[in-house]
Amino acid sequence: MRPTALVTGASRGIGRAIAGILAQKGWPVCINYLEHHDAAKDLARRLQDQGREAMIYQADVADEKAVAAMVQSVQETLGPVELLVNNAGISHQGLFQDTESALWNRILAVNLTGARNAVQAVLPHMLEEKRGCIVNISSIWGLRGASCEVAYACSKAALIGLTRSLAMELAPSGIRVNCVAPGCIETDMVRVLGEETQAALVEETPLGRLGTPEDIAHAVSFFASEKASFLTGQVLTVDGGFIG
Ligand code: NAP
């Protein structure tokens, strides 16, 4: 039983890269997912083949009881969660006035309350041990705002508030809370926008390309490392210069 990393939404995209890099750094990892069982299983197998410890767990982060059960299962299978990466997220494009309350509530439930649920579940152990690290994945849209993605941008702005507030509250308990705000990253979430929009996003990115999931994973890995032991409450923008 060793201190373990839990990465929510790790079957695909950014979360998958985060879980991979943390495993390479020696963390046993739990790969949480919602629907894509085969993708989660494939990642766990790959990591296990490399001699890493990994497990998968299906849970909707918006479901408080399911998240509590997941954290319990991770503790029993791999070890206590001492690194939590709140990465699971959903987005939706549409006008604000067309965003019905069910959709609004779901986006906030997954992107914001999901992080809250996971923090609540891992905190008892972290508080007892007086150590732990939490990294929230926000977005440049949470910093800048986003037309036609109001609910998403609100949820991501709130994650920054969660990060800064929790960092202050938990620092005396030895728990660090930081945030990574990605720019436009090459994942399914951006691929669904179509080639034309992706080309426009590349055009708007001063470094002239979409980010890779690994670009974000390296930032998370830094926050999780001893090198970041004096950093808390920070938001690191990883966006190729997009928001300047
Ligand atoms: P993605 O490719 O769509 O992958 C989303 C991941 O989250 C999948 O593993 C998915 O699981 C999981 N997930 C979705 N809803 C969930 C739920 N309710 N409970 C548990 N897991 C759930 O997205 P991505 O681009 O990698 O984004 C990852 C994070 O980065 C998100 O928070 C996103 O908002 C943020 N972000 C992304 C970008 C970007 O340009 N891509 C930019 C800024 C911020 P299944 O595979 O099982 O569906």
Side-chain angles (χ1 to χ4, degrees), residues 4-10 19 27-33 53-58 70-71 73-74 78 81:
T4 295
L6 167 60
V7 184
T8 66
W27 286 91
V29 286
C30 174
I31 298 154
N32 160 253
Y33 68 100
E53 290 179 82
M55 66 179 277
I56 65 171
Y57 198 101
Q58 192 280 337
M70 169 167 67
V71 169
S73 172
V74 178
L78 295 176
V81 177

Side-chain angles (χ1 to χ4, degrees), residues 63-86:
D63 180 339
E64 185 175 8
K65 285 199 179 122
V67 171
M70 169 167 67
V71 169
Q72 181 70 27
S73 172
V74 178
Q75 168 137 1
E76 288 163 9
T77 311
L78 295 176
V81 177
E82 294 196 4
L83 170 58
L84 167 66
V85 184
N86 284 312

Side-chain angles (χ1 to χ4, degrees), residues 42-122:
D42 170 72
L43 176 59
R45 280 224 188 91
R46 281 168 193 256
L47 297 178
Q48 286 157 355
D49 288 349
Q50 294 163 19
R52 309 298 178 187
E53 290 179 82
M55 66 179 277
I56 65 171
Y57 198 101
Q58 192 280 337
D60 181 346
V61 292
D63 180 339
E64 185 175 8
K65 285 199 179 122
V67 171
M70 169 167 67
V71 169
Q72 181 70 27
S73 172
V74 178
Q75 168 137 1
E76 288 163 9
T77 311
L78 295 176
V81 177
E82 294 196 4
L83 170 58
L84 167 66
V85 184
N86 284 312
N87 166 80
I90 53 172
S91 63
H92 175 80
Q93 304 252 319
L95 290 172
F96 175 71
Q97 65 263 37
D98 295 338
T99 307
E100 290 180 0
S101 54
L103 178 59
W104 174 273
N105 290 339
R106 178 65 183 160
I107 290 170
L108 287 166
V110 174
N111 295 3
L112 175 61
T113 310
R116 175 262 176 203
N117 291 341
V119 174
Q120 285 275 354
V122 302

Side-chain angles (χ1 to χ4, degrees), residues 98-207:
D98 295 338
T99 307
E100 290 180 0
S101 54
L103 178 59
W104 174 273
N105 290 339
R106 178 65 183 160
I107 290 170
L108 287 166
V110 174
N111 295 3
L112 175 61
T113 310
R116 175 262 176 203
N117 291 341
V119 174
Q120 285 275 354
V122 302
L123 265 188
H125 171 80
M126 289 185 180
L127 288 169
E128 197 178 302
E129 294 299 318
K130 284 201 171 294
R131 69 168 178 263
C133 177
I134 297 167
V135 184
N136 296 318
I137 306 299
S138 176
S139 165
I140 51 168
W141 310 129
L143 285 160
R144 199 186 79 167
S147 167
C148 295
E149 280 194 277
V150 175
Y152 179 78
C154 285
S155 71
K156 293 298 180 177
L159 275 178
I160 292 170
L162 181 78
T163 300
R164 292 190 172 133
S165 306
L166 271 181
M168 294 167 102
E169 187 168 319
L170 297 177
S173 302
I175 301 164
R176 295 184 299 108
V177 188
N178 290 292
C179 180
V180 176
C184 305
I185 310 301
E186 207 173 350
T187 69
D188 293 343
M189 192 177 270
V190 164
R191 277 181 214 113
V192 296
L193 302 175
E195 285 188 9
E196 211 173 301
T197 304
Q198 285 182 68
L201 292 171
V202 169
E203 188 74 19
E204 263 192 88
T205 303
L207 281 179

